[in-house]
Amino acid sequence: SVVKQFNLVNIGKCIWNVQGITTSCDCVSATISSEMINPGDTAVLMMSFIADSIPGYFSKYTDIYFNEKENPEHFLVHGFIDNHNTHL
């Protein structure tokens, strides 16, 4: 599997409340270290993609909805699978 870590730093003046997390497919999982990120604090988003045996380019994403916003923040992982080796 492919695992990518994103550090989310709240540089604003308002608290970020995670309202929901969605992924592009069942082969992607995502967890966040805190559902509330205070100004100046950091939360860690861990995104995992289970690479299948089909070689070629892949592009997967996770969307995080903060503070009841209609438009999520979009986190993307892409790469190329060649003979069961994954290149990011």
Side-chain angles (χ1 to χ4, degrees):
S1 69
V2 177
V3 178
K4 178 67 179 169
Q5 175 179 316
F6 297 90
N7 295 316
L8 310 179
V9 181
N10 183 349
I11 60 172
K13 296 180 181 179
C14 298
I15 296 171
W16 292 351
N17 290 300
V18 176
Q19 299 297 318
I21 298 175
T22 59
T23 59
S24 56
C25 64
D26 289 338
C27 63
V28 176
S29 64
T31 58
I32 192 163
S33 62
S34 177
E35 292 193 6
M36 183 175 72
I37 310 168
N38 290 311
D41 287 352
T42 300
V44 176
L45 169 66
M46 295 299 293
M47 186 173 161
S48 299
F49 164 56
I50 300 171
D52 56 20
S53 60
I54 301 171
Y57 175 79
F58 69 87
S59 178
K60 304 295 178 184
Y61 67 86
T62 295
D63 286 338
I64 300 181
Y65 294 84
F66 291 103
N67 299 343
E68 301 179 19
K69 290 183 180 178
E70 293 179 14
N71 298 318
E73 296 297 323
H74 195 72
F75 297 87
L76 180 68
V77 173
H78 61 93
F80 189 84
I81 299 171
D82 181 19
N83 295 330
H84 302 289
N85 294 314
T86 304
H87 305 280
L88 295 177

